[in-house]
Amino acid sequence: MPQGHDVMVGGGTGARCVRHVGEASEPVVVYFPGTPESRLSIDGFAVEGVQWVAMDRPGYGGSAPSPFSFATIADDTVRVLDHLGIERASLLGHSGGGPFALAMGAHHPERVARIGVSQGPGVYSQVPEAWETLVGSDLEAVRVASTDPDRAVQLFASGFHDLRASIEQPNDLLLAYLLQALPADTHVLSDETLQLTFFASLREGVRTGVQGCAYDNLAWCPDWAFNLADVTAPVELFYGARDTLMPPTHGRWLRQQLPDARLHLWESAGHLDLLARSAEVAAMLTRPV
């Protein structure tokens, strides 16, 4: 398996920690980690013949904390591609990273070949029954997001404190927590190699706090600040039929909104099947357009 290395792009509050795996001659997939994953997820995706790139969003892992939005993450991604000498790439976003991959496609279509979204959310106010899944502090955060974004960030952050505490527990306790929260992912989490890579990614993601998670939610829980009709690259949508966290209704809604999209329904899958199917997905995203 190819070995990854980290590079820092930019400085100060603009410093972004980037993981890079693979050879410069290979086709590129830029990975947008889920909430609260980190760049380390691609260590489990690495296969011969694909060049992987993943950036920690601000407040995650090795990147400096600062407010961010769809537009700023898209611009940061262009800076990373320029730094690595990559002109055009395919994109893959998992869960909370999915909308950021789509935003990159809308803001910088000339840099994007294909886009993959794995178990990512649609717009909560428009996806059938999605709004009802928001509760407590998250629901209040959405209500105040347009008038008091700083308050919304605080509310979103408060919803991640228990998750961070669970992630910081020993492996057996973290596994028990995840199996209870995501019972359909037992087949993925029982694979020790996938499990340990995923745990490392989660722990790196929240190592410096949960501010990044809060800004993720601020971007994609309310209405999105970009138009899906502007995403002109072909989009592959991957959803698990047994996923209760981001059910296939999100994928069906996205397919209807995007100009060029196909929906792939993984019949026995929960929320984490990308961990086991990354080679399959990468092959689909790097085939000629």
Side-chain angles (χ1 to χ4, degrees):
M1 178 179 290
Q3 296 299 306
H5 65 277
D6 289 339
V7 296
M8 292 300 298
V9 178
T13 59
R16 303 290 176 259
C17 191
V18 179
R19 192 79 165 164
H20 187 206
V21 182
E23 301 297 328
S25 60
E26 296 169 337
V28 183
V29 179
V30 177
Y31 181 64
F32 293 78
T35 308
E37 290 177 67
S38 70
R39 70 195 186 281
L40 299 187
S41 286
I42 63 172
D43 288 349
F45 298 167
V47 292
E48 298 292 343
V50 178
Q51 187 181 174
W52 288 94
V53 176
M55 178 188 76
D56 285 340
R57 293 186 288 279
Y60 280 99
S63 288
S66 65
F68 62 86
S69 66
F70 286 133
T72 64
I73 295 302
D75 291 345
D76 283 348
T77 304
V78 169
R79 286 198 297 131
V80 169
L81 293 177
D82 289 345
H83 182 87
L84 296 175
I86 298 168
E87 182 62 31
R88 202 159 177 255
S90 292
L91 315 177
L92 174 60
H94 175 63
S95 193
F100 289 96
L102 293 171
M104 174 67 181
H107 284 282
H108 298 285
E110 75 285 355
R111 306 300 293 267
V112 179
R114 292 183 181 275
I115 302 173
V117 174
S118 170
Q119 290 113 332
V123 176
Y124 269 76
S125 62
Q126 299 180 39
V127 175
E129 301 180 0
W131 188 260
E132 289 77 8
T133 66
L134 294 176
V135 296
S137 59
D138 285 352
L139 189 58
E140 180 61 21
V142 172
R143 288 176 176 149
V144 304
S146 61
T147 57
D148 192 352
D150 290 340
R151 175 60 177 158
V153 166
Q154 293 175 353
L155 289 164
F156 280 132
S158 68
F160 284 102
H161 292 318
D162 288 347
L163 176 59
R164 185 189 185 194
S166 297
I167 289 171
E168 292 174 339
Q169 293 294 313
N171 285 356
D172 58 337
L173 296 180
L174 175 55
L175 178 60
Y177 171 85
L178 290 173
L179 289 174
Q180 182 176 20
L182 302 170
D185 290 296
T186 300
H187 62 295
V188 175
L189 292 169
S190 62
D191 183 305
E192 186 174 0
T193 300
L194 296 177
Q195 176 196 123
L196 293 178
T197 302
F198 184 54
F199 287 4
S201 178
L202 290 176
R203 287 178 175 132
E204 174 67 2
V206 300
R207 175 170 56 85
T208 61
V210 295
Q211 185 188 56
C213 305
Y215 276 101
D216 274 2
N217 281 16
L218 183 64
W220 54 258
C221 278
D223 289 343
W224 295 359
F226 69 96
N227 192 338
L228 284 168
D230 294 332
V231 181
T232 55
V235 180
E236 309 290 347
L237 302 165
F238 306 95
Y239 286 80
R242 299 175 61 202
D243 187 355
T244 56
L245 189 60
M246 293 293 173
T249 50
H250 288 270
R252 295 188 185 102
W253 182 86
L254 284 169
R255 181 181 60 183
Q256 293 172 352
Q257 310 306 314
L258 290 160
D260 183 2
R262 295 192 305 168
L263 177 62
H264 307 267
L265 191 62
W266 292 333
E267 290 295 340
S268 61
H271 190 64
L272 300 177
D273 260 61
L274 177 63
L275 301 178
R277 299 175 185 253
S278 57
E280 167 195 341
V281 170
M284 194 174 298
L285 295 178
T286 56
R287 72 184 190 276
V289 176

